[in-house]
Protein backbone atom coordinates (compact mmCIF):
# COMPACT_ATOMS: atom_id res chain seq x y z
CA UNK A 1 0.00 0.00 0.00
CA UNK A 2 1.32 3.46 -0.82
CA UNK A 3 2.03 6.12 1.75
CA UNK A 4 1.40 9.83 1.21
CA UNK A 5 3.46 12.94 1.85
CA UNK A 6 3.12 16.67 1.44
CA UNK A 7 6.37 18.63 1.42
CA UNK A 8 5.26 22.00 2.77
CA UNK A 9 7.67 24.62 1.41
CA UNK A 10 7.75 28.36 0.90
CA UNK A 11 9.74 31.44 1.84
CA UNK A 12 10.44 32.26 5.48
CA UNK A 13 7.27 33.38 7.22
CA UNK A 14 4.98 32.39 4.35
CA UNK A 15 2.85 30.31 6.70
CA UNK A 16 4.21 26.75 6.43
CA UNK A 17 3.87 25.87 10.10
CA UNK A 18 0.47 27.56 10.27
CA UNK A 19 -0.63 25.56 7.21
CA UNK A 20 0.47 22.31 8.89
CA UNK A 21 -1.34 23.18 12.12
CA UNK A 22 -4.48 24.15 10.16
CA UNK A 23 -4.40 20.94 8.12
CA UNK A 24 -3.99 18.84 11.26
CA UNK A 25 -7.04 20.49 12.82
CA UNK A 26 -8.99 20.02 9.60
CA UNK A 27 -7.95 16.35 9.41
CA UNK A 28 -9.09 15.80 12.98
CA UNK A 29 -12.42 17.44 12.20
CA UNK A 30 -13.03 15.10 9.26
CA UNK A 31 -11.67 12.09 11.13
CA UNK A 32 -8.60 11.54 8.97
CA UNK A 33 -5.24 10.50 10.25
CA UNK A 34 -2.56 13.02 9.26
CA UNK A 35 0.79 13.52 11.03
CA UNK A 36 3.43 16.24 10.87
CA UNK A 37 7.22 15.96 10.79
CA UNK A 38 9.21 19.09 11.55
CA UNK A 39 12.16 19.30 9.18
CA UNK A 40 13.26 22.80 10.16
CA UNK A 41 16.33 22.52 12.42
CA UNK A 42 15.96 26.21 13.31
CA UNK A 43 12.27 26.00 14.28
CA UNK A 44 11.46 27.56 17.60
CA UNK A 45 7.74 27.12 17.97
CA UNK A 46 4.89 25.40 16.22
CA UNK A 47 1.34 24.66 17.18
CA UNK A 48 1.02 21.02 16.16
CA UNK A 49 2.03 17.74 17.71
CA UNK A 50 4.96 16.18 15.83
CA UNK A 51 5.58 12.54 15.01
CA UNK A 52 9.26 13.42 14.41
CA UNK A 53 11.37 16.53 14.90
CA UNK A 54 14.67 17.05 13.10
CA UNK A 55 15.90 19.02 16.12
CA UNK A 56 16.24 15.72 17.91
CA UNK A 57 18.84 14.81 15.29
CA UNK A 58 20.55 18.17 14.93
CA UNK A 59 19.88 21.81 15.85
CA UNK A 60 21.11 24.98 14.15
CA UNK A 61 22.01 26.57 17.51
CA UNK A 62 24.34 23.71 18.41
CA UNK A 63 26.04 23.94 15.01
CA UNK A 64 26.49 27.72 15.37
CA UNK A 65 27.95 27.34 18.84
CA UNK A 66 30.53 24.85 17.64
CA UNK A 67 33.89 26.64 17.67
CA UNK A 68 35.43 24.41 15.04
CA UNK A 69 32.58 25.01 12.54
CA UNK A 70 31.89 28.72 13.12
CA UNK A 71 28.75 28.90 11.00
CA UNK A 72 26.19 31.69 10.94
CA UNK A 73 22.45 30.93 10.74
CA UNK A 74 22.36 30.11 7.01
CA UNK A 75 25.58 28.11 6.91
CA UNK A 76 24.38 26.35 10.05
CA UNK A 77 21.12 25.40 8.36
CA UNK A 78 22.93 24.07 5.29
CA UNK A 79 25.20 22.02 7.56
CA UNK A 80 22.17 20.61 9.41
CA UNK A 81 20.35 19.67 6.22
CA UNK A 82 23.41 17.98 4.77
CA UNK A 83 23.83 16.09 8.03
CA UNK A 84 20.18 15.10 7.77
CA UNK A 85 20.68 13.87 4.18
CA UNK A 86 23.46 11.61 5.46
CA UNK A 87 21.24 10.27 8.20
CA UNK A 88 17.95 9.40 6.54
CA UNK A 89 17.88 6.22 8.62
CA UNK A 90 16.97 8.47 11.57
CA UNK A 91 13.85 9.56 9.67
CA UNK A 92 13.07 6.01 8.62
CA UNK A 93 13.13 4.92 12.24
CA UNK A 94 10.89 7.80 13.34
CA UNK A 95 8.36 7.20 10.56
CA UNK A 96 8.04 3.48 11.15
CA UNK A 97 5.72 1.95 8.61
CA UNK A 98 2.02 2.34 9.04
CA UNK A 99 0.01 1.51 5.93
CA UNK A 100 -1.72 4.53 4.42
CA UNK A 101 0.47 7.00 6.33
CA UNK A 102 -0.29 10.61 5.42
CA UNK A 103 2.49 12.90 6.55
CA UNK A 104 3.08 16.65 6.22
CA UNK A 105 6.75 17.66 6.24
CA UNK A 106 7.18 21.22 7.54
CA UNK A 107 10.32 22.22 5.62
CA UNK A 108 12.76 25.09 6.16
CA UNK A 109 12.20 28.17 4.02
CA UNK A 110 15.68 29.03 2.73
CA UNK A 111 15.48 28.90 -1.04
CA UNK A 112 19.10 27.75 -1.34
CA UNK A 113 18.05 24.36 -0.04
CA UNK A 114 15.96 23.90 -3.15
CA UNK A 115 18.03 25.68 -5.76
CA UNK A 116 21.65 24.98 -4.81
CA UNK A 117 21.71 21.83 -2.73
CA UNK A 118 20.64 18.29 -3.52
CA UNK A 119 19.17 17.57 -0.07
CA UNK A 120 15.48 18.14 -0.85
CA UNK A 121 15.73 16.14 -4.08
CA UNK A 122 17.44 13.37 -2.15
CA UNK A 123 14.67 13.50 0.45
CA UNK A 124 11.98 13.11 -2.22
CA UNK A 125 13.84 10.19 -3.78
CA UNK A 126 14.27 8.58 -0.39
CA UNK A 127 10.58 9.00 0.44
CA UNK A 128 9.66 7.47 -2.89
CA UNK A 129 11.86 4.48 -2.10
CA UNK A 130 9.89 4.13 1.12
CA UNK A 131 6.73 3.96 -1.04
CA UNK A 132 5.58 7.52 -0.42
CA UNK A 133 3.73 9.46 -3.10
CA UNK A 134 4.99 12.98 -2.63
CA UNK A 135 3.29 16.29 -3.39
CA UNK A 136 5.09 19.63 -3.07
CA UNK A 137 2.97 22.40 -1.53
CA UNK A 138 4.66 25.77 -1.95
CA UNK A 139 3.14 28.62 0.02
CA UNK A 140 3.30 32.24 -1.07
CA UNK A 141 2.03 35.17 0.97
CA UNK A 142 -1.25 36.44 -0.47
CA UNK A 143 0.26 39.92 -0.78
CA UNK A 144 2.19 38.48 -3.72
CA UNK A 145 -1.08 37.65 -5.40
CA UNK A 146 -2.44 41.15 -5.87
CA UNK A 147 0.15 42.70 -8.16
CA UNK A 148 1.41 41.37 -11.47
CA UNK A 149 5.15 41.82 -10.93
CA UNK A 150 5.14 40.39 -7.45
CA UNK A 151 3.01 37.61 -8.80
CA UNK A 152 5.52 36.83 -11.51
CA UNK A 153 8.28 36.51 -8.93
CA UNK A 154 6.04 34.39 -6.70
CA UNK A 155 4.82 32.29 -9.61
CA UNK A 156 8.24 30.79 -9.96
CA UNK A 157 7.53 28.65 -6.99
CA UNK A 158 4.03 28.70 -5.58
CA UNK A 159 0.78 26.85 -5.07
CA UNK A 160 -1.19 28.41 -2.26
CA UNK A 161 -1.84 31.77 -0.66
CA UNK A 162 -3.22 33.05 2.62
CA UNK A 163 -6.24 35.28 2.18
CA UNK A 164 -7.76 36.42 5.43
CA UNK A 165 -5.90 39.75 5.61
CA UNK A 166 -7.06 40.92 2.20
CA UNK A 167 -9.84 43.40 1.57
CA UNK A 168 -12.90 42.35 -0.41
CA UNK A 169 -11.52 44.19 -3.45
CA UNK A 170 -8.14 42.48 -3.16
CA UNK A 171 -9.83 39.09 -2.83
CA UNK A 172 -11.60 39.79 -6.13
CA UNK A 173 -8.25 40.75 -7.63
CA UNK A 174 -6.82 37.38 -6.63
CA UNK A 175 -9.27 35.56 -8.88
CA UNK A 176 -7.42 36.95 -11.88
CA UNK A 177 -4.26 35.25 -10.69
CA UNK A 178 -5.71 31.87 -9.87
CA UNK A 179 -6.02 30.93 -13.52
CA UNK A 180 -3.77 33.53 -15.04
CA UNK A 181 -3.47 34.54 -18.65
CA UNK A 182 0.06 35.87 -18.48
CA UNK A 183 -0.03 37.58 -21.87
CA UNK A 184 -3.05 39.72 -21.07
CA UNK A 185 -1.57 40.53 -17.66
CA UNK A 186 1.48 41.86 -19.42
CA UNK A 187 -0.68 44.08 -21.55
CA UNK A 188 -2.37 45.54 -18.46
CA UNK A 189 1.03 46.53 -17.17
CA UNK A 190 2.79 47.52 -20.36
CA UNK A 191 2.61 51.23 -19.55
CA UNK A 192 4.61 50.73 -16.39
CA UNK A 193 7.41 48.89 -18.17
CA UNK A 194 9.80 51.73 -18.88
CA UNK A 195 12.81 49.69 -19.87
CA UNK A 196 12.62 47.74 -23.13
CA UNK A 197 14.98 45.09 -21.83
CA UNK A 198 12.88 44.60 -18.70
CA UNK A 199 9.78 44.33 -20.85
CA UNK A 200 11.43 41.69 -23.02
CA UNK A 201 12.57 39.66 -20.03
CA UNK A 202 9.16 39.88 -18.37
CA UNK A 203 7.45 38.78 -21.59
CA UNK A 204 9.81 35.82 -21.89
CA UNK A 205 9.08 34.73 -18.31
CA UNK A 206 5.33 35.18 -18.81
CA UNK A 207 5.50 33.15 -22.01
CA UNK A 208 7.33 30.33 -20.27
CA UNK A 209 4.84 30.23 -17.43
CA UNK A 210 1.81 30.43 -19.70
CA UNK A 211 2.89 28.13 -22.51
CA UNK A 212 3.89 25.30 -20.22
CA UNK A 213 1.18 25.75 -17.54
CA UNK A 214 3.96 25.53 -15.00
CA UNK A 215 2.26 26.67 -11.82
CA UNK A 216 -1.20 26.14 -10.41
CA UNK A 217 -2.51 28.39 -7.64
CA UNK A 218 -5.07 27.69 -5.00
CA UNK A 219 -6.23 30.19 -2.40
CA UNK A 220 -5.73 29.02 1.19
CA UNK A 221 -7.66 30.84 3.89
CA UNK A 222 -7.25 29.19 7.24
CA UNK A 223 -10.58 30.62 8.39
CA UNK A 224 -12.48 28.98 5.52
CA UNK A 225 -13.08 25.29 6.21
CA UNK A 226 -14.53 24.67 2.75
CA UNK A 227 -11.50 26.29 1.08
CA UNK A 228 -9.14 24.15 3.17
CA UNK A 229 -11.07 21.09 2.08
CA UNK A 230 -10.71 22.08 -1.59
CA UNK A 231 -6.93 22.50 -1.21
CA UNK A 232 -6.70 19.07 0.43
CA UNK A 233 -8.79 17.52 -2.34
CA UNK A 234 -6.45 18.91 -5.01
CA UNK A 235 -3.40 17.59 -3.20
CA UNK A 236 -5.03 14.21 -2.56
CA UNK A 237 -5.91 14.00 -6.23
CA UNK A 238 -2.35 14.76 -7.30
CA UNK A 239 -0.99 11.90 -5.18
CA UNK A 240 -4.03 9.69 -5.79
CA UNK A 241 -4.91 9.45 -2.15
CA UNK A 242 -8.12 7.51 -1.78
CA UNK A 243 -7.94 5.66 -5.07
CA UNK A 244 -7.83 2.42 -3.08
CA UNK A 245 -11.02 3.29 -1.26
CA UNK A 246 -14.13 1.48 -2.28
CA UNK A 247 -17.77 1.85 -1.38
CA UNK A 248 -19.36 -0.67 0.92
CA UNK A 249 -22.62 -2.28 0.02
CA UNK A 250 -25.58 -0.32 1.38
CA UNK A 251 -26.13 -1.29 4.99
CA UNK A 252 -29.62 -2.55 5.76
CA UNK A 253 -30.81 -1.32 9.14
CA UNK A 254 -33.51 -3.44 10.63
CA UNK A 255 -35.21 -0.81 12.78
CA UNK A 256 -36.03 1.88 10.27
CA UNK A 257 -34.48 1.64 6.81
CA UNK A 258 -36.25 4.82 5.74
CA UNK A 259 -34.34 6.99 8.18
CA UNK A 260 -30.88 5.91 7.04
CA UNK A 261 -28.56 8.70 6.02
CA UNK A 262 -26.21 8.74 3.06
CA UNK A 263 -23.38 8.10 5.46
CA UNK A 264 -24.88 4.74 6.33
CA UNK A 265 -24.96 3.81 2.67
CA UNK A 266 -21.58 5.10 1.72
CA UNK A 267 -19.34 3.82 4.41
CA UNK A 268 -15.81 3.87 3.15
CA UNK A 269 -13.90 0.66 3.35
CA UNK A 270 -10.23 0.47 2.58
CA UNK A 271 -9.02 -2.29 0.32
CA UNK A 272 -7.40 -4.99 2.36
CA UNK A 273 -9.61 -4.48 5.44
CA UNK A 274 -10.66 -8.07 5.51
CA UNK A 275 -12.66 -7.66 8.70
CA UNK A 276 -14.75 -4.95 7.10
CA UNK A 277 -14.26 -2.46 9.90
CA UNK A 278 -14.79 1.16 9.01
CA UNK A 279 -11.52 3.07 8.92
CA UNK A 280 -11.22 6.82 9.39
N1 LIG B 1 -3.34 36.40 9.11
C1 LIG B 1 -2.65 35.32 8.79
N2 LIG B 1 -1.47 35.16 9.37
C2 LIG B 1 -0.79 34.05 9.05
C3 LIG B 1 -1.28 33.08 8.13
N3 LIG B 1 -0.36 32.10 8.00
C4 LIG B 1 0.65 32.46 8.80
N4 LIG B 1 0.40 33.63 9.44
C5 LIG B 1 1.25 34.33 10.41
O1 LIG B 1 2.50 34.58 9.78
C6 LIG B 1 3.55 34.34 10.71
C7 LIG B 1 4.48 33.30 10.15
O2 LIG B 1 3.77 32.08 10.02
P1 LIG B 1 4.48 30.67 10.15
O3 LIG B 1 3.41 29.64 9.97
O4 LIG B 1 5.34 30.59 11.35
O5 LIG B 1 5.39 30.74 8.84
P2 LIG B 1 6.56 29.75 8.42
O6 LIG B 1 6.56 29.71 6.94
O7 LIG B 1 6.41 28.44 9.14
O8 LIG B 1 7.83 30.53 8.96
P3 LIG B 1 9.32 29.99 9.09
O9 LIG B 1 9.23 28.58 9.62
O10 LIG B 1 9.94 30.93 10.07
O11 LIG B 1 9.92 30.06 7.73
C8 LIG B 1 2.90 33.93 12.02
O12 LIG B 1 2.80 35.06 12.83
C9 LIG B 1 1.53 33.44 11.60
O13 LIG B 1 0.57 33.62 12.64
C10 LIG B 1 -2.57 33.30 7.54
O14 LIG B 1 -3.08 32.53 6.73
N5 LIG B 1 -3.19 34.45 7.91
MG1 LIG C 1 7.78 27.34 10.36
Amino acid sequence: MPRFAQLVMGPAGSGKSTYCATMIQHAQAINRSVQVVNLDPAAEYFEYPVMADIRELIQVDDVMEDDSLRFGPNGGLVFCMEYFANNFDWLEECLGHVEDDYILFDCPGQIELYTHLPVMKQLVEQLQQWEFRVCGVFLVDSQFMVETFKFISGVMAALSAMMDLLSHKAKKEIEKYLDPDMYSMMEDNSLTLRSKRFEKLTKAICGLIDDYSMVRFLPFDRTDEEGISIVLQHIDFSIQYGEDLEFKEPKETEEDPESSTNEDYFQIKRMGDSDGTQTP
Side-chain angles (χ1 to χ4, degrees):
M1 284 286 262
R3 307 157 85 188
F4 304 91
Q6 292 185 22
L7 282 194
V8 182
M9 302 167 284
S14 55
K16 301 178 289 296
S17 303
T18 307
Y19 169 90
C20 291
T22 309
M23 272 298 170
I24 288 289
Q25 276 170 12
H26 178 72
Q28 278 165 357
I30 59 170
N31 204 16
R32 248 176 80 169
S33 168
V34 177
Q35 317 275 347
V36 189
V37 170
N38 172 47
L39 284 189
D40 184 353
E44 281 180 4
Y45 172 75
F46 35 73
E47 277 177 10
Y48 49 75
V50 279
M51 81 179 294
D53 186 344
I54 194 175
R55 295 175 307 172
E56 282 164 18
L57 177 73
I58 190 160
Q59 289 202 34
V60 168
D61 285 349
D62 293 344
V63 172
M64 284 168 62
E65 278 164 22
D66 188 306
D67 283 338
S68 60
L69 296 171
R70 298 194 175 185
F71 281 124
N74 289 318
L77 179 89
V78 169
F79 182 91
C80 288
M81 294 312 281
E82 284 180 340
Y83 184 81
F84 168 59
N86 290 322
N87 289 279
F88 281 148
D89 50 346
W90 166 81
L91 184 62
E92 187 177 19
E93 205 167 298
C94 295
L95 295 181
H97 193 132
V98 181
E99 286 204 342
D100 266 355
D101 287 349
Y102 198 112
I103 299 172
L104 314 181
F105 291 88
D106 189 357
C107 300
Q110 280 76 351
I111 200 81
E112 297 87 338
L113 294 177
Y114 307 90
T115 53
H116 292 44
L117 297 172
V119 51
M120 298 313 280
K121 188 166 172 270
Q122 288 165 346
L123 173 64
V124 172
E125 285 166 358
Q126 183 62 80
L127 288 172
Q128 285 171 335
Q129 276 177 23
W130 294 335
E131 293 181 80
F132 276 96
R133 292 184 193 158
V134 185
C135 175
V137 178
F138 198 105
L139 303 180
V140 165
D141 192 312
S142 59
Q143 303 300 330
F144 276 73
M145 301 286 290
V146 288
E147 200 187 299
T148 303
F149 295 121
K150 281 190 187 170
F151 171 74
I152 293 171
S153 67
V155 88
M156 300 302 196
L159 274 172
S160 297
M162 68 178 206
M163 292 186 69
D164 55 310
L165 295 182
L166 297 182
S167 65
H168 186 68
K169 186 167 167 267
K171 280 189 183 179
K172 283 251 131 227
E173 187 72 5
I174 263 188
E175 282 167 20
K176 172 168 111 188
Y177 294 93
L178 294 178
D179 186 15
D181 172 355
M182 300 301 292
Y183 290 107
S184 56
M185 271 188 199
M186 273 297 301
E187 263 148 43
D188 288 353
N189 284 277
S190 52
L191 287 176
T192 54
L193 287 174
R194 297 219 172 84
S195 147
K196 275 273 156 219
R197 285 178 74 185
F198 180 46
E199 185 179 333
K200 229 171 134 185
L201 173 67
T202 311
K203 274 192 174 145
I205 294 172
C206 289
L208 186 72
I209 295 162
D210 212 86
D211 296 349
Y212 294 91
S213 304
M214 291 179 77
V215 176
R216 176 75 204 276
F217 287 92
L218 294 170
F220 185 83
D221 180 350
R222 65 179 170 160
T223 59
D224 172 11
E225 201 69 24
E226 205 184 319
I228 296 169
S229 179
I230 290 170
V231 170
L232 187 58
Q233 277 169 30
H234 273 82
I235 296 168
D236 287 347
F237 182 73
S238 75
I239 48 179
Q240 290 138 42
Y241 174 83
E243 68 163 9
D244 299 325
L245 304 178
E246 64 176 23
F247 290 116
K248 262 179 128 183
E249 287 297 313
K251 198 172 99 187
E252 304 278 343
T253 48
E254 277 170 21
E255 311 83 43
D256 181 11
E258 296 296 309
S259 67
S260 301
T261 62
N262 281 350
E263 278 161 29
D264 292 327
Y265 284 101
F266 295 104
Q267 285 185 65
I268 294 168
K269 175 183 179 295
R270 286 184 200 284
M271 301 258 278
D273 274 357
S274 52
D275 63 356
T277 46
Q278 196 178 349
T279 39

